[in-house]
Amino acid sequence: MAELSFNEDHGYLEGLVRGMKAGILTDTDYHNLAQCDTLDDMKLHLQSTDYGRMLSTSEEDLTVSLVDSKLRENLVTEFSCLRSNALPPLSTFLDYITYSYMIDNVVMLITGALKQRDVAEVLPRCHPLGAFDQMAAVGIARTPTELYSAILVDTPLAQFFQEAVSEDNLDEMEAEILRNKLFKAYLESFHSFCKSLGGATRDTMCPVLEFEADRRAFIITVNSFGTDLSGVDRSVLYPSCGKLYPEGLQLLTRAEDHEQVKAVAECYPGYKIIFDDPEPESGCKTLEDRFFEQEVKLNTLAFLQQFHFGVFYSYIKLKEQESRNIVWIAECVTQRQKSKIHNYIPIFK
Amino acid sequence: MVVSEFEESSLLLDEKLLRFMDQLELLEEKRAALNSLIEQGWFSMSKARYSIGNKRVSALQYASEIEPLVCVHARTLDNGEVDFCTERSKQKGSNEAGKEATPIEDIGPQEEGVRRRNKPKKNITEKKEGEEASSEKAPEVTPSRKSDQNPQQDPLKWFGILVPQTLKQAQSSFMQVIELSAEIATLQTAVLNSRQELKQCRKDKPILQESSATQLEKHSD
């Protein structure tokens, strides 16, 4: 009976996260931001939101990149506050959320090393939520096996390396393959962890993670057209914890163009609408946009139930979408592309 | 009746003026196209950042020293105009120990970047053979994936292999911009040249007009 004992260990944090959720920007906020003509105007409007004087305290020039960094900093502060007060199993759950950032950081460090970029230059750009002790050494590894055995074996990412070890030199292709293999292992592990938690956590988290798995399969397929990544190569990158497993994934392996991918999506009602031809008024939304929209819908559902961990995951994801929205509006403002400014995804109506 | 020099030069002046106007119009069109392509390219990059994150499409992704893939050649023509043309450097085929027996396919007009080679099929057959043999052969089986220290790589790959479509769109916009820039530069010098010629013609016009008037008087006497 989770309802009886949940609050003992996690009630405070659930209350906290629901409070933070109340500060998520509304339609009015977005409307105000979209009316701005300069980044300074946007800064002014953001002061009246939960972001407060986040941008005003900085001495640097106001650029879109700075806005992005500050929004990220804000999220990291909130997450750290939650994580530092968390008890197991919530602490494990929150740690799982950080692993995706760790994987991205590892790949960023590897590609930075490939471009002969100094570690000191790349490290500050890594996502703070994915920080781990051995980060500075990641760029030295030349193969995934070396990366695992010498550097990452003592980190939480070690558990995801089963399929990912290989002797191939770490070039751009290998780095991409490594990223996706690690993420696949991570997602499947997270999915089975949530399943084992049971209850409302399983009911809210598993659909979200299944959607994420399927989204990755679709995006990997579509983006691999015209590259050196073949169907067989990409099939090992598809996470198997989604609805597409196993038949949909087999069909995707054989898909050679966008039409065939669309045909696969038509077998699944949830994904058919994402691939449907857009109405003319909606503007040209990319496939990624439509997936983001669906993700937002799924994540908002988490807040309809209580006494589960899904709210924490959903909050982080929704805040990330909010950051994307704000940065998008900032880009449109600076590039004077006001016609496309409404392509952001509103979160709570 | 002798067609006077003056009439000839007037016709020439008209011709030059019309040509000048045409060139100006074309120049304006191309400039507008250039501006819109550049805007489009930057905007597509912003869309790509939206999809994969701001830090994945940034200055971190490229090396501090880059070799250009496109060179501009300028040559002066006989009429004083300068012709600018772009040239994409040829791909250095990375033939790794005969594994890449098939030559690089040329798809369509000159495009930046490594062509899609017949690698996938080779990989599969080679991998199958590798599996049949012992596992020690595994490192040999995938040499085509070894990092070719090929400096002339498709810049798109700096951002990853599975980049979003919007980034590819940005690249194609900027590629068109490069071609267009050379054309505009050529056109600009042509326009300046035409303007110079026009000025010269108009200077000569009164002189010719006078001499033709005196000629007419002589004839009528």
Side-chain angles (χ1 to χ4, degrees):
Chain A
M1 290 288 282
E3 294 83 0
L4 290 177
S5 57
F6 186 88
N7 277 350
E8 208 180 301
D9 287 339
H10 317 298
Y12 165 63
L13 290 177
E14 185 180 348
L16 204 61
V17 89
R18 282 184 186 271
M20 294 196 284
K21 168 239 179 197
I24 286 183
L25 298 186
T26 59
D27 275 350
T28 321
D29 294 317
Y30 284 126
H31 184 73
N32 288 340
L33 286 173
Q35 303 281 320
C36 296
D37 286 324
T38 64
L39 287 182
D40 281 302
D41 291 342
M42 281 185 70
K43 181 170 99 175
L44 213 60
H45 276 118
L46 284 174
Q47 276 177 10
S48 60
T49 65
D50 267 19
Y51 285 111
R53 306 188 63 79
M54 165 194 81
L55 286 173
S56 325
T57 48
S58 165
E59 294 296 320
E60 294 163 36
D61 289 331
L62 191 56
T63 59
V64 177
S65 185
L66 180 71
V67 172
D68 180 66
S69 302
K70 288 290 177 187
L71 290 171
R72 175 188 288 201
E73 232 176 76
N74 187 277
L75 179 64
V76 169
T77 314
E78 290 179 342
F79 183 85
S80 309
C81 172
L82 293 171
R83 177 63 186 85
S84 54
N85 289 304
L87 292 172
L90 179 57
S91 50
T92 317
F93 184 89
L94 291 176
D95 284 341
Y96 260 107
I97 298 179
T98 64
Y99 299 157
S100 67
Y101 301 105
M102 270 189 213
I103 293 172
D104 281 338
N105 285 347
V106 164
V107 177
M108 185 183 274
L109 287 161
I110 291 171
T111 47
L114 279 176
K115 300 279 168 284
Q116 274 92 46
R117 288 274 181 195
D118 200 21
V119 171
E121 218 183 322
V122 184
L123 265 181
R125 307 282 202 106
C126 289
H127 203 296
L129 280 185
F132 55 94
D133 292 331
Q134 296 84 341
M135 267 167 83
V138 165
I140 301 170
R142 278 162 315 164
T143 69
T145 312
E146 212 177 282
L147 183 68
Y148 168 64
S149 53
I151 301 159
L152 296 184
V153 67
D154 293 321
T155 66
L157 289 184
Q159 55 186 308
F160 308 130
F161 259 91
Q162 275 133 14
E163 304 286 319
V165 283
S166 105
E167 291 301 331
D168 295 322
N169 269 340
L170 277 171
D171 58 5
E172 275 89 2
M173 176 64 91
E174 283 312 308
E176 190 73 51
I177 289 176
L178 180 70
R179 181 208 307 274
N180 288 292
K181 280 190 175 165
L182 286 177
F183 204 91
K184 169 188 153 93
Y186 153 70
L187 209 57
E188 288 165 5
S189 172
F190 198 4
H191 187 265
S192 54
F193 174 69
C194 292
K195 224 167 165 179
S196 70
L197 287 174
T201 304
R202 181 195 58 214
D203 295 340
T204 47
M205 282 304 297
C206 287
V208 169
L209 294 176
E210 283 160 17
F211 171 78
E212 184 62 36
D214 294 335
R215 168 173 52 177
R216 287 193 80 87
F218 278 122
I219 297 283
I220 288 173
T221 311
V222 168
N223 286 347
S224 71
F225 297 145
T227 68
D228 293 333
L229 200 67
S230 68
V232 172
D233 291 337
R234 64 176 188 248
S235 64
V236 299
L237 309 178
Y238 298 149
S240 58
C241 54
K243 295 203 185 73
L244 286 177
Y245 176 81
E247 295 92 10
L249 293 182
Q250 281 170 11
L251 290 172
L252 279 181
T253 309
R254 294 200 285 272
E256 303 274 312
D257 59 38
H258 199 267
E259 283 309 309
Q260 292 180 14
V261 174
K262 193 171 166 184
V264 175
E266 303 214 325
C267 309
Y268 300 87
Y271 304 130
K272 179 172 186 305
I273 39 169
I274 293 178
F275 279 85
D276 265 345
D277 289 320
E279 316 106 54
E281 329 70 70
S282 68
C284 44
K285 284 208 173 122
T286 63
L287 193 62
E288 284 96 346
D289 284 346
R290 282 143 160 246
F291 275 116
F292 280 138
E293 261 174 35
Q294 187 67 7
E295 187 192 9
V296 164
K297 278 198 193 118
L298 283 174
N299 278 316
T300 51
L301 293 176
F303 293 94
L304 298 176
Q305 286 199 61
Q306 230 184 324
F307 309 123
H308 66 98
F309 297 153
V311 286
F312 297 97
Y313 179 87
S314 297
Y315 175 73
I316 301 292
K317 291 299 162 192
L318 290 176
K319 279 300 262 195
E320 277 193 338
Q321 180 61 42
E322 184 174 277
S323 301
R324 273 195 289 271
N325 286 345
I326 296 174
V327 168
W328 174 255
I329 294 175
E331 292 267 28
C332 288
V333 161
T334 45
Q335 292 184 36
R336 308 253 185 276
Q337 297 266 12
K338 289 297 197 100
S339 58
K340 306 279 192 318
I341 205 168
H342 297 285
N343 276 8
Y344 60 84
I345 300 169
I347 297 169
F348 290 112
K349 296 272 185 275
Chain B
M1 179 146 162
V2 176
V3 176
S4 75
E5 270 183 29
F6 171 64
E7 277 175 23
E8 250 182 48
S9 88
S10 296
L11 285 169
L12 197 62
L13 186 62
D14 287 344
E15 223 176 84
K16 285 193 177 160
L17 185 65
L18 285 173
R19 183 153 43 107
F20 178 64
M21 290 301 177
D22 284 336
Q23 281 173 341
L24 262 184
E25 194 183 347
L26 191 61
L27 185 64
E28 280 313 300
E29 267 172 31
K30 291 205 175 198
R31 276 200 184 135
L34 185 84
N35 286 337
S36 104
L37 275 173
I38 291 183
E39 268 179 24
Q40 217 176 305
W42 282 110
F43 200 60
S44 299
M45 268 201 338
S46 301
K47 283 198 217 166
R49 282 198 195 102
Y50 181 84
S51 301
I52 57 174
N54 259 45
K55 306 292 182 248
R56 280 184 59 186
V57 183
S58 68
L60 262 189
Q61 270 72 33
Y62 52 81
S64 34
E65 286 179 19
I66 313 173
E67 241 186 64
L69 279 174
V70 183
C71 302
V72 177
H73 295 291
R75 58 195 176 108
T76 319
L77 302 172
D78 292 333
N79 57 3
E81 285 181 15
V82 185
D83 177 49
F84 294 93
C85 63
T86 54
E87 186 196 306
R88 293 192 187 278
S89 39
K90 310 237 177 335
Q91 296 303 310
K92 290 193 186 113
S94 56
N95 293 312
E96 290 139 341
K99 298 286 179 201
E100 310 272 35
T102 44
I104 301 166
E105 289 176 335
D106 229 278
I107 305 168
Q110 298 273 322
E111 270 175 51
E112 250 183 352
V114 179
R115 305 282 180 271
R116 191 193 190 127
R117 306 173 191 168
N118 286 331
K119 260 203 266 179
K121 293 181 199 146
K122 274 196 167 297
N123 266 351
I124 295 169
T125 44
E126 283 168 0
K127 270 189 177 146
K128 282 199 184 133
E129 287 163 36
E131 278 157 31
E132 281 161 18
S134 63
S135 54
E136 291 103 70
K137 286 227 174 147
E140 277 180 61
V141 168
T142 48
S144 44
R145 283 230 207 101
K146 265 204 192 102
S147 79
D148 30 4
Q149 305 298 322
N150 186 357
Q152 290 174 333
Q153 203 195 27
D154 184 358
L156 201 64
K157 291 204 176 144
W158 296 339
F159 304 98
I161 302 295
L162 298 172
V163 291
Q165 303 301 321
T166 40
L167 204 60
K168 295 179 185 169
Q169 283 165 12
Q171 186 187 42
S172 93
S173 295
F174 287 129
M175 271 159 59
Q176 287 177 54
V177 162
I178 293 177
E179 305 289 337
L180 213 50
S181 309
E183 285 173 30
I184 289 179
T186 311
L187 207 50
Q188 260 174 215
T189 57
V191 158
L192 286 173
N193 221 41
S194 297
R195 198 169 132 213
Q196 204 53 36
E197 282 177 20
L198 258 180
K199 261 189 187 162
Q200 195 57 43
C201 264
R202 278 166 64 189
K203 240 193 254 176
D204 297 338
K205 186 173 164 187
I207 304 167
L208 287 173
Q209 198 172 16
E210 254 187 58
S211 74
S212 130
T214 43
Q215 268 189 1
L216 272 175
E217 276 176 28
K218 270 192 194 158
H219 278 289
S220 62
D221 283 345

